[in-house]
């Protein structure tokens, strides 16, 4: 019988709590011994550093494992030691040392044999995914204007979405008893006098679907937009609709639900605490890795390529600010988000640390829910910013330079693993005629439609970008030329079946593709493979279009 993941997580977190509680007596004994030394001799900087480090760790970790009173008491003692470190050990008189030693001894006695508190883990569960890539998303459209709704449905379907049109909200609510859409588009009146969002609020079946909601409306006032936010709208589109922009937003919302797990690197010298964070994040669907040796930070970033670093601010040999400064020395990671996780409560210290390149500061102990929410929010914003930099605004695919970089990176990885990678150049046939006959806005619809089709038909491991104009570059790792040809044949056929229209004049388009595999061209770098695929593409163009051509294998020279 397969173990329930939530039960497994609970067992792992409970084991960490019990291990933490079991180690407390030893930690108290060490602290008491350090306190007793204060009475017999003038402490040096090393003694204060060790005391501060141990109390700081307890202040940050106790609450996480259920010992909130331990954290609070350790923090009070830590602040005293922190002050002594700032003014210098020589300024501490014998009476002050004696008083602190007594307070520390009382702290150790009070926390020497603590009962294990009841488990209070609030680790968020892994969110349910929409699923793997599918050939068509199910979209429901609520539009009371029959003609307008039919026209909008046809335009959305041109992008390979499946649309179900309702003229009444009540009909959609009834249909939601048996099925749910992947995305809901609603033409809702949002003025204060006739606020039919109230009607949407009273639709429990639709509300329970949990799918993204897009409002389409003619109202562009602030109050209407606020009401849309209160209804949980993910997007707000104004009439007359910019169809390519609407499709891009729909695709973004749907793909976000299939986004790969967030990648997080936890830099923390308290290994049990780091493991707790890792388990909580893993349960929430985050790919988290722990690093206990700061010296390996740069190598870990290069190999794991995290989207966020959670870093303790105080570690035995290095501060978080120093490590953040080292990260920022590398151009590739200048924008990598860094969030401090520390028991440091001094606002001046927090501000000073953040000047060295961090983006946020979370004070330990932090709840499991807050940890997950912070990670998701930060990574989501980082992905949005990365998209603005590297993604084409029309298609949402990688830009020219970004897709070329991806091709070089994936070819290098394929060469190391001994697996083939195939690059494909795609071009829309007679695209100039589309622009000349139907206008550039309709041409944008055709380009966006192909981009959407490619995202739907390719694997998550494949990479696709807009190479320029109506030309696209696809990189297929672990894919031979034969398999790539079959895939492209299927995509060409699917694209040829898409119907576009302009002023009620329907038309279709075709594609031509050229491909080259690293297995057939072992001596070529990524630039050479792209050029070989490009030559094959133009051979297909001159050979009649609407076909796939494979670049001839290179002949070895002796």
């Amino acid at each position: 019988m397969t173990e329930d993941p939530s039960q497994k997580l609970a067992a792992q977190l409970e084991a960490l709590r019990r291990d933490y509680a079991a180690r407390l007596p030893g930690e108290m004994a060490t602290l008491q011994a350090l306190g007793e030394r204060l009475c017999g001799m003038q402490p040096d900087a090393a003694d204060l550093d060790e005391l501060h480090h141990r109390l700081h760790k307890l202040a940050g970790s106790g609450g996480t494992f259920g010992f909130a009173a331990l954290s609070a008491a350790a923090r009070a003692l830590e602040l005293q030691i922190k002050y002594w470190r700032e003014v210098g050990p020589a300024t501490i008189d014998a009476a002050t040392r004696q008083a602190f030693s007594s307070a520390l001894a009382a702290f150790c006695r009070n926390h020497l044999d603590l009962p294990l508190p009841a488990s209070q883990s609030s680790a968020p569960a892994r969110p349910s995914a929409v699923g793997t890539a599918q050939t068509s998303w199910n979209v429901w459209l609520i539009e009371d204007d029959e003609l307008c709704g039919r026209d909008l449905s046809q335009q959305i379907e041109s992008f390979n979405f499946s649309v179900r049109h309702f003229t009444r909200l009540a009909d959609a609510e009834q249909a939601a008893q048996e099925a749910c859409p992947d995305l809901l588009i609603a033409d809702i009146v949002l003025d204060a006098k006739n606020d039919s969002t109230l009607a949407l609020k009273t639709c429990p079946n639709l509300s329970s679907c949990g799918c993204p909601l897009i409002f389409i409306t003619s109202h562009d006032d602030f109050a209407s937009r606020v009401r849309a936010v209160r209804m949980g709208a993910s997007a707000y589109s104004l009439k007359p609709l910019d169809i390519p922009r609407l499709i891009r937003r729909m695709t973004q919302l749907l793909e976000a639900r299939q986004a790969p797990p967030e990648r997080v690197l936890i830099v923390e010298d308290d290994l049990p605490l780091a493991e707790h964070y890792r388990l909580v994040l893993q349960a929430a669907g985050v790919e988290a890795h722990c690093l206990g040796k700061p010296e390996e930070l740069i190598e870990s970033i290069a190999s794991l390529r995290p989207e966020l670093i959670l870093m303790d601010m105080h570690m035995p040999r290095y501060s978080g600010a120093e490590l953040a400064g080292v990260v920022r020395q590398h151009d590739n990671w200048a924008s990598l988000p860094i969030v401090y996780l520390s028991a440091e409560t001094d606002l001046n210290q927090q501000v000073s640390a953040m000047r060295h390149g961090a983006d946020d500061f979370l004070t330990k102990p932090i709840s499991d829910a807050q940890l997950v929410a912070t990670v998701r929010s930060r990574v989501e914003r980082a992905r949005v910013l990365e998209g603005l930099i590297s993604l084409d605004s029309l298609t949402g695919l990688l830009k020219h330079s970004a897709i070329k970089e991806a091709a070089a990176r994936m070819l290098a990885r394929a060469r190391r693993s001994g697996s083939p990678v195939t690059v494909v150049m795609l071009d829309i046939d007679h695209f100039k005629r589309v622009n000349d006959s139907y206008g550039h806005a309709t041409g944008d619809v055709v380009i966006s439609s192909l981009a959407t089709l490619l995202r739907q038909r390719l694997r998550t491991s494949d990479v696709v970008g807009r190479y320029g104009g109506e030309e696209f570059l696809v990189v297929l790792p672990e894919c031979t030329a034969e398999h790539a040809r079959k895939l492209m044949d299927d995509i060409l056929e699917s694209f040829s079946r898409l119907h576009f229209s302009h002023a009620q004049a329907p038309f279709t388009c075709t594609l031509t593709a050229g491909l080259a595999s690293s297995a057939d061209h072992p001596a070529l770098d990524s630039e050479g493979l792209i050029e070989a695929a490009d030559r094959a593409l133009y051979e297909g163009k001159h050979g009649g279009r609407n076909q796939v051509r494979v670049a001839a294998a290179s002949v070895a020279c002796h």
Side-chain angles (χ1 to χ4, degrees):
M1 182 176 178
T2 304
E3 185 178 6
D4 185 339
S6 61
Q7 292 180 349
K8 181 179 180 181
L9 169 67
Q12 291 174 315
L13 292 177
E14 180 64 18
L16 284 175
R17 280 195 332 121
R18 291 185 178 279
D19 180 66
Y20 183 84
R23 288 186 291 106
L24 280 178
E27 185 64 23
M28 294 302 120
T30 301
L31 281 172
Q32 189 161 356
L34 288 171
E36 292 171 354
R37 289 182 59 184
L38 292 179
C39 298
M41 56 182 292
Q42 187 76 29
D44 58 20
D47 291 331
L48 295 184
D49 286 346
E50 184 174 1
L51 262 174
H52 180 266
H53 177 64
R54 289 181 178 276
L55 289 169
H56 180 81
K57 285 180 65 175
L58 288 172
S61 63
T64 297
F65 293 105
F67 300 96
L70 171 68
S71 278
R75 191 182 304 280
L77 294 170
E78 176 204 356
L79 292 177
Q80 179 65 64
I81 293 294
K82 181 180 178 182
Y83 172 73
W84 287 353
R85 293 173 75 204
E86 292 172 353
V87 300
T91 64
I92 311 171
D93 58 49
T96 302
R97 297 199 310 271
Q98 178 64 53
F100 180 84
S101 178
S102 298
L104 183 60
F107 167 80
C108 293
R109 287 194 302 272
N110 293 338
H111 299 92
L112 184 62
D113 190 21
L114 291 175
L116 189 68
S119 176
Q120 298 178 346
S121 175
S122 57
R126 181 184 297 271
S128 58
V130 172
T132 55
Q134 55 194 70
T135 57
S136 178
W137 296 106
N138 295 314
V139 176
W140 286 9
L141 170 64
I142 304 174
E143 168 61 74
D144 60 355
D145 186 318
E146 179 73 40
L147 185 61
C148 180
R150 188 185 313 123
D151 180 63
L152 180 55
S153 296
Q154 290 175 351
Q155 293 185 72
I156 295 175
E157 286 174 341
S158 295
F159 291 88
N160 209 31
F161 290 93
S162 175
V163 181
R164 186 174 179 182
H165 176 214
F166 300 90
T167 56
R168 297 193 317 143
L169 181 60
D171 293 337
E173 168 66 6
Q174 184 175 358
Q177 293 180 357
E178 299 181 357
C180 282
D182 296 314
L183 183 142
L184 177 63
I185 302 175
D187 182 359
I188 299 293
V189 178
L190 284 167
D191 59 278
K193 294 181 180 179
N194 186 16
D195 187 1
S196 52
T197 58
L198 296 176
L200 189 57
K201 248 180 180 177
T202 60
C203 296
N205 296 322
L206 285 173
S207 299
S208 64
C209 286
C211 63
L213 169 64
I214 297 179
F215 280 160
I216 54 176
T217 178
S218 301
H219 296 270
D220 193 21
D221 58 286
F222 182 76
S224 295
R225 288 182 175 271
V226 169
R227 279 190 286 273
V229 171
R230 289 171 179 168
M231 283 304 304
S234 303
Y236 192 94
S237 296
L238 292 172
K239 294 181 176 181
L241 294 172
D242 180 335
I243 297 301
R245 179 175 294 180
L246 174 63
I247 295 300
R248 285 199 304 274
R249 189 65 179 124
M250 291 168 59
T251 304
Q252 289 170 356
L253 291 171
L254 290 166
E255 289 184 344
R257 305 180 76 194
Q258 286 188 323
E262 299 89 346
R263 299 187 307 279
V264 176
L265 178 62
I266 303 168
V267 184
E268 168 68 70
D269 66 305
D270 189 337
L271 298 184
L273 186 59
E275 179 64 8
H276 176 93
Y277 294 151
R278 188 190 70 81
L279 288 173
V280 168
L281 291 172
Q282 177 181 292
V286 178
E287 181 185 326
H289 302 269
C290 298
L291 176 65
K293 297 181 179 179
E295 298 87 351
E296 300 174 358
L297 176 60
I298 300 305
E299 291 79 4
S300 296
I301 294 176
S303 61
L304 299 174
R305 302 182 68 84
E307 297 172 283
L308 173 70
I309 295 178
L310 293 175
M311 185 182 296
D312 190 8
M313 201 174 96
H314 295 294
M315 286 174 277
R317 294 183 302 279
Y318 311 99
S319 71
E322 291 170 340
L323 296 177
V326 171
V327 173
R328 298 300 184 226
Q329 292 172 1
H330 295 75
D331 293 340
N332 290 343
W333 307 315
S335 60
L336 176 61
I338 299 176
V339 174
Y340 289 131
L341 267 175
S342 176
E344 178 61 67
T345 56
D346 187 323
L347 183 59
N348 291 327
Q349 290 287 333
Q350 292 181 7
V351 172
S352 175
M354 289 181 66
R355 290 198 188 106
H356 289 77
D359 301 279
D360 204 352
F361 198 106
L362 298 176
T363 303
K364 297 177 183 175
I366 181 173
S367 72
D368 296 344
Q370 184 184 3
L371 176 66
V372 172
T374 298
V375 166
R376 283 186 175 148
S377 175
R378 280 289 175 184
V379 173
E380 180 182 357
R381 292 301 173 198
R383 287 178 174 179
V384 169
L385 291 175
E386 178 65 23
L388 292 174
I389 295 171
S390 62
L391 300 183
D392 173 63
S393 60
L394 175 62
T395 64
L397 303 178
L398 292 175
K399 293 179 180 177
H400 178 91
S401 58
I403 185 61
K404 290 185 68 175
E405 290 174 5
R409 186 171 60 250
M410 296 176 82
L411 176 61
R413 186 183 306 156
R415 291 263 161 85
R416 289 194 298 270
S417 64
S419 60
V421 61
T422 299
V423 298
V424 184
M425 294 293 294
L426 283 165
D427 189 84
I428 302 173
D429 296 330
H430 300 299
F431 186 73
K432 185 176 183 301
R433 293 183 191 173
V434 174
N435 280 337
D436 292 344
S437 301
Y438 308 110
H440 288 274
T442 301
D444 286 349
V445 172
V446 175
I447 288 176
S448 296
S449 180
L450 175 56
T452 300
L453 178 65
L454 290 172
R455 278 194 295 263
Q456 292 172 340
R457 295 302 172 87
L458 298 175
R459 303 167 298 178
T460 55
S461 58
D462 301 330
V463 180
V464 58
R466 188 181 181 191
Y467 201 70
E470 70 276 17
E471 197 169 30
F472 295 76
L473 174 62
V474 181
V475 186
L476 306 170
E478 298 183 6
C479 183
T480 63
E482 179 182 359
H483 285 99
R485 178 163 193 159
K486 291 178 180 177
L487 174 63
M488 289 302 118
D489 280 336
D490 178 64
I491 288 175
L492 261 64
E493 181 182 356
S494 298
F495 186 70
S496 68
R497 292 199 302 264
L498 294 181
H499 292 273
F500 307 96
S501 63
H502 176 77
Q504 306 302 317
F507 67 94
T508 59
C509 294
T510 60
L511 296 172
T512 298
L515 61 88
S517 171
S518 62
D520 298 331
H521 304 271
L524 295 182
D525 58 12
S526 61
E527 289 277 1
L529 272 182
I530 293 172
E531 291 174 2
D534 200 43
R535 288 193 297 270
L537 166 67
Y538 280 94
E539 288 175 5
K541 289 282 188 182
H542 294 140
R545 294 182 171 82
N546 192 25
Q547 59 182 276
V548 180
R549 287 289 182 97
V550 180
S554 300
V555 179
C557 298
H558 300 282

